[in-house]
């Protein structure tokens, strides 16, 4: 069972999608019911994975490895560590919430919508589990198609433009990744005589410095478009704003994480030398993203695009933490990936709820909502504060760790990035104030109804997560820690080789093959910080 | 004088013979029933293709007629493609109405089968003259087929255009072949290569000029057949004007035949990269430029097309470019990737044309804007078309993606193997960038079908054969994308066939 569970987790939504596709398209409630049940079962499966996960073990767990295309050395290789684990759980939870939240808002093409949602879920779960580069690429591309339809069919007025832009940007990046992937494939063949795309095996291969720079660039471009790192973010506001609520939630909650996940899983371990070379550049870009995203958010008139630009800022924090290349920064980055999924997901859901009532998202059209929708305002408050990073909410823990890491890496990074937190407070609170407080200035707002039971059901789990991570993040951090250590050891491996090339070095243990625990104890200050 | 007859091994030619006889039967069946056979003759033709396929599967490998006729992995693989394409083209031709085909259904199908025989013969020939004969048998029926709708101006124009260009390119090809024969004294491909290399080693300056001339004329001839720029201008007009099943057949089977001819003459006969002992001339870079411009021209011009068939014509030019990238990789992945790409391309393209034919028969239009709201009126066809278009785009896990991946893999391997071939990275780069452009115009069709302005598209009824064709297309695209193993194993035999000896 344990060896099958990842495959089951990935392909159960696909099975569900086929099942839903077989239901006659006029039976809306059956379609919704089946999708909900499928997504809930998927969520329970992910909880099972979470509970069976060995939190102290290093290396990959629940590994399966079958040959797929034998003659080209392509394998069906799955496995997860703590980082993937949390993202898996986040994905399944958000999928369930999205399906509940779009219960009434989707009226046309109901069947296609839910089929797309389930297919998307398969693609995302696959990306987080794949340990074969080819398989990773396949899942990475697969989710483009349902997302294209989600934005293009059920989106806002400029949906077609946004959908095409989203797909073109992503495709551009991922094709470069394909070339880099093939290059590594043949390099590995020259190195060991074996054709393979196996990530864990390739990690053991030294790559020439110059080649690393190119390869890192190719992968990083694909991932940076997805994150999105400034200045590659221009698809994001369009896609987020035009997508239907559930699409935005999945986009912000999970798809963006695929970019940062790619950095952790592929870029850092495979190209350590290039990582260290590019580190200052990426940190600077991340800081620009933090400040730029925040400043642009401040002037948005539309709540949804405000949230969209705030994503740019928040993902900048994640990138900064990642490329601080130390324990705190990276742990914080991984945690912040989850936090951003929870709080921005919740923000998009909230925006969607009010849009369904008023059919406008302009800040100027609201004001005084607190009087008519007290429960809504309370939820909105909690989520806003979590997004800002108030202590006792999840955002605080993540951003604190990231800033700690950034200060350790270079105090200038820390100082400048910290101003992003202040800016976040400005734009979020200002927006909240204009929407919620004051007098009711528009007639239409007086008749707004407060949250229904279904909508509360959607928000409560996210609020619980916000406080859980904020008050007691230990269970999460404990699961992230071994995985982050491994990544850091991979980075430090090559940096020591680079620094001490002339000296005889003890062979560095390659992890993963048998999942053995690293013998080398690591300090959290790697060679990177020198 | 003691003259020994070569071993004929006639049984190797059995598939061709069966199909040829069957084509005659199809022709006469239509006559015997006083042209009232209707769709029965179509089923008869499809059965013939199926039977030939079965015969082919049991024939096995070997050489006949001395070494002139070879049945090796490459021949068998491509024959499968030809037969599949013929099957699907015939299947999608059932809907052609009586007044358009003017009661010549027997001739229509007979010609298509004759053309298929020519392709199969071409795939097996190991010698320049029989190769040329095979190529002519392939194209001459296609001239007539392209102009089959006599009352349709566009169709007639397509026929004439194709005839002129086809005849011209054949002449060029023959001209080049005559040079090669003059230089080497042999029409046998392998012998030719050895003799050429030997004569080049001995007195290069004398023969160099003729070599270059021969290579260029042959490249031009084959370039016309494959519609590689700058010899591509005929393709859009012909594709648009010809009856849709014929266009489908042209874009897949005839292209595959051109590729086989290219592989035989250029790859096997004249190894691409200069090598003092095997290859006298380096034509790799030249074809590289042609392939690169095919990808650019095909993809960029496809963006502006509003007619589906015209768009597919440009996209087929682009696909020929991708395939040539694989062809240029002279390693064990190269020809295998060409085979796989063609195989994947066949399912998707034939399936798409089947859908286009259905829509055209119902609404009389192949304009993309007229597909608006198509997803509402015929959801099954729209989903099928979407899957196949995505395969052409190269979205995993569909077969088209794997083909593209395979081709690029071969090219990158070649580029990495020798610093001299590093320009192949640029070719791969062009391929990738243009793939993004391709995504745009394929997605545009999907966009129109799903999100476009609602036009009054009637529900499209389909006949059983058309449904079969579309199902084959979709299932092939999906199954060989998820499980490419079988075909990859088969395709990777191609470069180690009897007659291919790569240095």
């Amino acid at each position: 069972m344990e060896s099958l569970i990842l495959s089951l987790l990935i392909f159960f939504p696909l099975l569900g999608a086929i099942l839903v596709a077989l239901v006659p398209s006029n039976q809306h409630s059956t379609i919704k019911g089946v999708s909900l049940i499928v997504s809930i079962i998927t969520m329970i499966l992910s909880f099972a994975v979470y509970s069976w996960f060995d939190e102290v073990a290093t290396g990959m767990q629940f590994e399966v490895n079958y040959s797929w295309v034998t003659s080209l050395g392509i394998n069906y290789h799955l496995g997860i560590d703590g980082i993937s684990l949390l993202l898996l759980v986040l994905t399944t939870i958000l999928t369930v919430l999205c399906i509940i939240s779009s219960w009434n808002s989707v009226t046309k093409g109901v069947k296609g919508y839910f089929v797309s949602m389930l297919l998307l879920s398969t693609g995302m779960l696959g990306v987080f589990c794949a340990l074969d580069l080819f398989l990773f690429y396949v899942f990475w591309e697969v989710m483009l198609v349902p997302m294209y339809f989600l934005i293009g069919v059920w989106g806002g007025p400029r949906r077609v433009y946004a959908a095409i832009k989203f797909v073109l940007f992503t495709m551009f990046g991922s094709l470069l990744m394909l070339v880099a992937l093939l290059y590594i494939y043949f390099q590995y063949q020259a190195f060991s005589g074996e054709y393979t795309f196996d990530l864990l095996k390739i990690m053991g291969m030294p790559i020439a410095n110059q080649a690393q720079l190119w390869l890192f660039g190719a992968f990083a471009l694909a991932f940076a478009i997805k994150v999105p790192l400034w200045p590659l973010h221009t698809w994001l506001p369009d896609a987020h704003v035009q997508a239907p609520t559930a699409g935005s939630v999945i986009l912000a909650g999970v798809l963006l994480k695929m970019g940062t996940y790619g950095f952790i899983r592929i870029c850092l371990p495979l190209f350590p030398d290039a990582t260290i070379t590019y580190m200052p550049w990426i940190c600077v870009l991340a800081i620009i993203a933090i400040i730029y995203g925040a400043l642009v958010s401040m002037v948005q008139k539309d709540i949804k695009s405000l949230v969209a630009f705030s994503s740019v800022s928040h993902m900048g924090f994640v990138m900064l933490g990642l490329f601080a290349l130390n324990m705190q920064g990276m742990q914080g980055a991984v945690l912040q990936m989850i936090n951003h999924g929870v709080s921005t997901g919740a923000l998009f859901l909230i925006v969607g709820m009010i849009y369904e009532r008023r059919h406008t998202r302009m800040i100027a059209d609201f004001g005084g909502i607190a009087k008519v929708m007290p429960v809504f305002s309370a939820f909105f408050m909690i989520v806003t504060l979590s997004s800002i990073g108030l202590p006792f909410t999840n955002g605080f823990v993540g951003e604190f760790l990231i800033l700690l890491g950034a200060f350790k890496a270079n105090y200038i990074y820390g100082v400048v990035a910290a101003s992003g937190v202040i800016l976040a407070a400005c734009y979020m609170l200002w927006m909240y104030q204009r929407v919620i407080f004051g007098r009711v200035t528009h007639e239409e707002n007086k008749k707004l109804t407060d949250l229904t039971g279904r909508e509360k059901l959607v928000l409560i789990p996210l609020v619980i997560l916000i406080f859980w991570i904020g008050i007691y993040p230990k269970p999460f951090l404990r699961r992230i820690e071994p995985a982050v250590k491994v990544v850091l050891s991979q980075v430090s491996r090559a940096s020591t080789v680079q620094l001490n090339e002339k000296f005889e070095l003890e062979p560095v243990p390659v992890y993963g093959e048998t999942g053995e625990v690293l013998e080398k104890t690591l300090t959290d200050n790697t060679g990177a910080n020198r | 004088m003691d003259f020994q007859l070569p071993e004929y091994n006639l049984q190797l030619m059995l598939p061709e013979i069966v199909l040829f006889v069957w084509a005659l039967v199809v022709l006469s069946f239509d006559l015997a029933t006083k042209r009232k056979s209707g769709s029965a003759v179509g089923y008869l033709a499809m059965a013939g293709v199926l039977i030939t396929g079965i015969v082919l599967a049991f024939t096995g490998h070997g050489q006949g007629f001395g070494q002139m006729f070879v049945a090796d992995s490459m021949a068998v693989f491509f024959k499968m493609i030809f037969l599949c394409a013929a099957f699907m083209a015939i299947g999608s031709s059932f809907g052609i109405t009586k007044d358009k085909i003017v009661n010549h259904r027997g001739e229509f199908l007979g010609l298509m089968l004759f053309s298929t025989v020519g392709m199969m013969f071409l795939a097996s020939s190991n010698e320049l003259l029989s190769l040329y004969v095979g190529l002519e048998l392939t194209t001459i029926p296609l001239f007539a087929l392209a102009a089959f709708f006599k009352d349709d101006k566009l169709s007639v124009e397509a026929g004439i255009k194709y005839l002129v260009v086809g005849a011209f390119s054949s002449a060029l090809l023959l001209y080049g072949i005559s040079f090669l024969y003059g230089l080497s004294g042999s029409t046998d491909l392998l012998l030719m290569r050895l003799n050429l290399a030997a004569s080049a080693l001995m007195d290069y300056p004398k023969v160099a000029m003729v070599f270059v001339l021969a290579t260029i004329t042959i490249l031009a001839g084959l370039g016309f057949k494959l519609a590689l720029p700058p010899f591509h201008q005929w393709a859009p007009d012909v594709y648009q004007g010809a009856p849709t099943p014929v266009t489908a057949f042209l874009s897949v089977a005839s292209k595959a035949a051109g590729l086989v001819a290219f592989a035989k003459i250029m790859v096997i006969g004249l190894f691409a990269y200069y090598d003092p002992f095997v290859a006298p001339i380096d034509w790799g870079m030249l074809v590289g430029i042609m392939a690169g411009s095919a990808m650019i021209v095909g993809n960029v011009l496809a963006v502006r097309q509003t007619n589906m068939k015209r768009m597919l014509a440009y996209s087929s030019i682009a696909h020929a470019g991708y395939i040539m990238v694989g062809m240029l990789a002279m390693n064990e992945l190269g020809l295998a990737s060409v085979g796989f790409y063609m195989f994947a391309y066949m399912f998707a393209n034939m399936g798409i044309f089947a859908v286009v034919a259905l829509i055209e028969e119902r609404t009389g239009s192949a304009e993309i804007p007229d597909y608006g709201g198509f997803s509402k009126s015929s959801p099954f066809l729209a989903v099928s078309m979407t899957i196949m278009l995505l395969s052409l785009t190269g979205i995993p896990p569909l077969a088209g993606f794997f083909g593209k991946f395979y081709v690029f893999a071969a090219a990158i391997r070649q580029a990495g193997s020798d610093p001299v071939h590093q320009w192949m990275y640029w070719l791969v780069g062009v391929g990738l960038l243009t793939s993004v452009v391709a995504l745009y115009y394929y997605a545009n069709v999907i966009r129109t079908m799903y999100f476009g302005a609602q036009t009054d598209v009637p529900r499209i009824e389909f006949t059983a054969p058309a449904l079969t064709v579309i199902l084959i297309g979709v299932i092939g695209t999906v199954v060989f994308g998820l499980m490419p193993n079988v075909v990859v194993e088969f395709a990777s035999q191609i470069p180690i066939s009897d007659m291919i000896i790569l240095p």
Side-chain angles (χ1 to χ4, degrees), chain A residues 74-75 77 130-140 177-178 180-182 184-185 196-200 202 219 223 265-266 270-271:
Chain A
I74 299 170
N75 283 7
H77 188 180
L131 287 182
D132 184 275
L133 286 172
F134 187 86
L135 193 66
F136 178 87
Y137 184 82
V138 167
F139 281 124
W140 177 274
M177 176 161 89
L178 182 65
L181 208 138
L182 283 167
I184 296 176
Y185 174 67
T196 184
F197 281 104
D198 195 312
L199 188 63
L200 300 185
I202 293 174
F219 275 102
F223 299 144
R265 179 64 72 236
I266 295 178
L270 284 192
F271 319 118

Side-chain angles (χ1 to χ4, degrees), chain B residues 399-485:
Chain B
F401 160 70
F402 202 82
K404 218 167 241 178
F405 164 80
Y406 210 166
V407 163
F408 287 149
I412 287 176
R413 190 182 147 89
Q414 183 69 22
S417 69
D418 190 341
V420 180
H421 299 148
Q422 265 184 358
W423 54 271
M424 297 274 283
Y425 282 128
W426 287 102
L427 210 53
V428 173
V430 171
L432 293 179
L433 285 181
T434 52
S435 293
V436 182
V437 180
L439 172 71
Y440 180 80
Y441 62 79
Y442 289 127
N444 190 32
V445 179
I446 300 174
R447 193 193 76 183
T448 316
M449 289 194 302
Y450 282 87
F451 333 141
Q454 304 287 316
T455 53
D456 204 18
V457 186
R459 186 177 162 72
I460 297 193
E461 308 290 337
F462 32 74
T463 52
L467 180 65
T468 317
V469 170
I470 294 164
L471 277 180
I472 293 176
V474 172
I475 292 172
T477 303
V478 173
V479 167
F480 292 116
L482 288 176
M483 287 175 281
N485 228 350

Side-chain angles (χ1 to χ4, degrees), chain A residues 68 71 148 153 160 179 186 195, chain B residues 409 413 432 447 451 482 485:
Chain A
W68 181 17
S71 52
Y148 173 73
V153 180
V160 176
V179 175
F186 291 117
Y195 281 118
Chain B
R413 190 182 147 89
L432 293 179
R447 193 193 76 183
F451 333 141
L482 288 176
N485 228 350

Side-chain angles (χ1 to χ4, degrees), chain B residues 89-290:
Chain B
I90 296 170
S92 52
S93 74
F94 276 72
I96 300 177
T97 46
K98 228 182 222 164
D99 52 311
K100 273 205 160 173
I101 207 163
V102 241
N103 261 338
H104 289 310
R105 217 174 276 274
E107 283 87 337
F108 185 84
L109 298 170
L111 283 172
M112 207 171 256
L113 294 185
F114 280 132
S115 180
T116 314
V117 174
M119 292 169 188
M120 292 171 69
F121 195 68
L122 166 75
S124 271
S125 69
N126 189 20
E127 187 254 359
L128 288 172
L129 275 186
S130 54
L131 192 142
Y132 179 77
V133 171
L135 202 58
E136 286 303 275
L137 183 53
T138 305
T139 44
I140 292 173
L142 288 174
F143 301 152
L145 282 172
F148 215 84
F149 292 169
K150 281 188 289 194
D151 302 330
D152 186 346
K153 265 189 196 163
L154 281 176
S155 174
V156 176
E157 183 197 332
I160 298 286
K161 240 178 204 165
Y162 193 37
L163 171 69
V164 173
V165 171
F168 182 61
S169 64
S170 294
L172 275 176
L173 186 62
L174 197 58
Y175 193 47
I177 286 176
S178 73
F179 277 131
L180 287 185
Y181 176 66
L183 283 172
S184 67
S186 170
T187 54
D188 181 280
L189 285 168
L190 286 180
L191 204 58
M192 180 188 86
R193 181 158 106 191
L194 293 177
N195 288 354
L196 281 179
S199 66
L201 270 182
M202 283 197 290
D203 43 8
Y204 189 72
K206 273 191 207 159
V207 293
M209 204 47 228
V210 189
F211 258 146
V212 172
L213 203 61
T215 318
I216 287 176
T217 45
I218 290 181
L219 273 183
L222 290 172
F224 270 119
K225 302 265 184 231
L226 287 170
L228 288 176
F231 311 112
H232 66 281
Q233 277 96 343
W234 61 272
D237 290 340
V238 173
Y239 278 41
Q240 188 186 0
T244 308
V246 176
T247 311
F249 194 63
L250 264 179
S251 72
V252 175
S254 156
K255 184 147 282 173
L259 285 174
V260 175
F262 191 96
K264 292 201 179 248
I265 303 177
M266 302 305 287
V267 178
I268 299 164
L270 307 161
F271 181 72
Y273 305 108
Y274 175 72
D275 184 317
F277 295 103
V278 284
I281 194 165
D282 191 327
W283 51 266
M285 188 84 93
L286 190 61
V287 175
I289 292 167
M290 283 165 82

